[in-house]
Amino acid sequence: MRLLFILFLFATNSAIAQKIDSLFLDAAITKLQNSKEYTLKVANGMPEEKYGFKPVQDEMSFGEQLLHIASNLNWLTSTYITSSKSPVTKEATKVQKKEEILAVLNKTYEYAIGALKLFEASHLADTVYFFAGTKTKLQIINLISDHQTHHRAQMIVYLRLNGIKPPDYVGW
């Protein structure tokens, strides 16, 4: 009887853990879709002639911030989330015109969103070597979100420094 109870607890806990993992992954996909929408709104808010703007010499320009987001999203996705080849090349992230930057950003987000949609929740606890130490794939997915938020926030300041009202927030 005790063994049956233990097996019941194990099965119940396993089912609950799987449900939580699926909820996390679904939320991460929605969050990345909303991040794409918001980042593109921020990017579209800056006129093309201001894409080279940087508040101080040591900072990335507005356009460079966008390409950095795309490069990092592409790298984290292709290295840690999926084995499918990225449609975005390193050369593509060296463009300078607003329209080209937006195209790279859009393509990179679609690649990452597609990879998350195919990602199996059972692999969230898998560990990978990362330059900051061993991380789980769940941590990498969180890093994807945090990194975009960090750089997008800088771009919102860039908009304000140019007298441009940032778009309304698109969140969870």
Side-chain angles (χ1 to χ4, degrees), residues 1-13:
M1 186 67 159
R2 186 174 185 183
L3 179 61
L4 243 59
F5 180 71
I6 291 171
L7 288 173
F8 171 76
L9 283 179
F10 178 76
T12 302
N13 286 341

Side-chain angles (χ1 to χ4, degrees), residues 109-121:
Y109 270 108
E110 286 305 309
Y111 168 65
I113 290 166
L116 279 184
K117 285 180 177 179
L118 295 174
F119 187 84
E120 293 182 29

Side-chain angles (χ1 to χ4, degrees), residues 94-163:
K94 295 178 181 169
V95 297
Q96 299 206 351
K97 293 183 179 177
K98 179 178 180 176
E99 183 179 310
E100 295 169 330
I101 292 172
L102 292 176
V104 167
L105 198 59
N106 191 51
K107 189 183 275 190
T108 305
Y109 270 108
E110 286 305 309
Y111 168 65
I113 290 166
L116 279 184
K117 285 180 177 179
L118 295 174
F119 187 84
E120 293 182 29
S122 61
H123 291 286
L124 287 170
D126 291 359
T127 57
V128 296
Y129 176 77
F130 191 70
F131 72 89
T134 302
K135 303 291 177 209
T136 65
K137 290 193 177 194
L138 185 145
Q139 288 175 297
I140 298 295
I141 292 169
N142 281 330
L143 174 60
I144 286 171
S145 177
D146 288 349
H147 184 264
Q148 293 170 73
T149 301
H150 167 74
H151 287 282
R152 191 175 49 235
Q154 291 177 345
M155 293 185 310
I156 289 170
V157 172
Y158 288 23
L159 289 173
R160 290 195 182 278
L161 288 172
N162 281 280

